[in-house]
Amino acid sequence: MRFYKDCLYCNKELKGRRDKKFCDPQCKSAYQYQQAQEQPERFYNVVDNQLKLNRKILKEYNKGGKVTVRASVLKDLGFKTKFFTHYWKNKKGDVYLFVYEFGFLKRVENNVEKFVLIMWQDYMMK
């Protein structure tokens, strides 16, 4: 005796096991993707995506190892200073915030907000 019902994704009639929900792996995958899109984004994903974006922006603008960039340039691209992975304090007392291996320090020069961008160095571990 067979039980029939419809695929949760494409609504085709199912044949086979009683507890079968999808007609094939493609429908199962498409259904799960659709369900994930309808749910609000998880906090972890929001943070992870912002960290990835921040790293990408810092990497793009720090080709020389140490550069200064107007803050508005980075912020216009979606850079958010509240998202960082760790920090490092130099001997002068400046605190650089890092997104993985790319660091930034906020400065104000001539009433213009800027970021000094640096790369993580081995001596910073100590």
Side-chain angles (χ1 to χ4, degrees):
M1 189 159 103
R2 293 186 184 242
F3 296 90
Y4 300 98
K5 66 185 202 185
D6 297 333
C7 173
L8 291 177
Y9 185 71
C10 70
N11 296 320
K12 287 183 185 174
E13 187 177 26
L14 296 175
K15 296 179 182 177
R17 289 189 351 244
R18 175 188 219 166
D19 61 345
K20 192 172 183 180
K21 297 179 183 179
F22 305 98
C23 56
D24 59 32
Q26 290 78 18
C27 277
K28 180 178 180 180
S29 179
Y31 178 82
Q32 290 172 340
Y33 178 77
Q34 180 184 47
Q35 294 299 306
Q37 292 299 101
E38 292 172 2
Q39 294 176 0
E41 196 169 15
R42 293 185 343 215
F43 180 73
Y44 169 82
N45 291 357
V46 171
V47 172
D48 191 48
N49 289 339
Q50 187 62 52
L51 285 172
K52 287 176 184 176
L53 178 62
N54 280 1
R55 183 185 180 279
K56 179 181 172 185
I57 292 168
L58 291 173
K59 182 179 180 183
E60 179 66 30
Y61 280 87
N62 191 0
K63 301 280 186 190
K66 183 177 182 181
V67 295
T68 303
V69 181
R70 285 179 180 258
S72 60
V73 172
L74 301 184
K75 288 179 179 179
D76 288 347
L77 294 171
F79 184 81
K80 293 184 181 171
T81 59
K82 291 182 180 182
F83 292 83
F84 58 93
T85 56
H86 60 287
Y87 66 91
W88 173 72
K89 188 174 183 179
N90 67 12
K91 291 178 182 176
K92 295 180 196 173
D94 297 327
V95 177
Y96 286 84
L97 303 178
F98 278 82
V99 181
Y100 303 106
E101 72 272 34
F102 298 100
F104 62 96
L105 173 68
K106 184 176 164 182
R107 292 251 187 231
V108 177
E109 297 175 4
N110 301 323
N111 293 325
V112 177
E113 187 180 358
K114 297 181 180 183
F115 291 123
V116 178
L117 308 182
I118 63 171
M119 298 274 300
W120 183 260
Q121 303 294 321
D122 289 337
Y123 70 85
M124 295 174 179
M125 283 284 221
K126 299 173 185 172

